[in-house]
Amino acid sequence: RGVGAASAAPGGAADSRGRAQQRVYIKIDPLHEAPHTLESLQSLLQAQPGLLPVVLFYEREQRTVMLSERYRVKPSPLLFQQIEKLLGEGTVKVK
């Protein structure tokens, strides 16, 4: 998969104060698994560097993949709008 994935992340990672860390979750449905789509997503993520880790959820396989640190983002309405334009409405959230 073109977006530099690290190993699948176990749930419940905490910050230095023991609080659960927020992550940006992006759902990839089977229609959007094409390499060119994932490359576009990679470019969007790299254009908004920040502190929040990104987790991809591959809907067809019911599998999550934590992306490497170089894909951490600063969430913004513009970034989410661009991701939803690429992958469909409701495909990105912070939790």
Side-chain angles (χ1 to χ4, degrees):
R1 311 232 186 243
V3 182
S7 61
D15 68 12
S16 61
R17 295 185 205 114
R19 295 180 304 203
Q21 182 180 25
Q22 287 189 316
R23 295 183 174 99
V24 176
Y25 287 85
I26 301 172
K27 181 171 64 175
I28 311 288
D29 68 27
L31 298 174
H32 293 96
E33 289 184 11
H36 70 274
T37 303
L38 296 176
E39 288 168 12
S40 296
L41 176 60
Q42 178 180 2
S43 296
L44 288 175
L45 297 175
Q46 288 182 318
Q48 298 292 325
L51 298 176
L52 290 193
V54 175
V55 178
L56 301 183
F57 174 69
Y58 287 91
E59 194 173 49
R60 180 171 46 89
E61 301 167 8
Q62 297 291 299
R63 179 173 69 101
T64 59
V65 177
M66 171 80 82
L67 299 186
S68 66
E69 287 194 15
R70 71 181 181 175
Y71 294 102
R72 287 180 176 235
V73 296
K74 177 180 181 184
S76 70
L78 177 61
L79 175 62
F80 286 12
Q81 187 177 52
Q82 292 171 324
I83 292 171
E84 289 187 340
K85 183 176 180 182
L86 180 67
L87 300 175
E89 193 171 324
T91 55
V92 60
K93 67 174 88 174
V94 174
K95 61 179 183 175

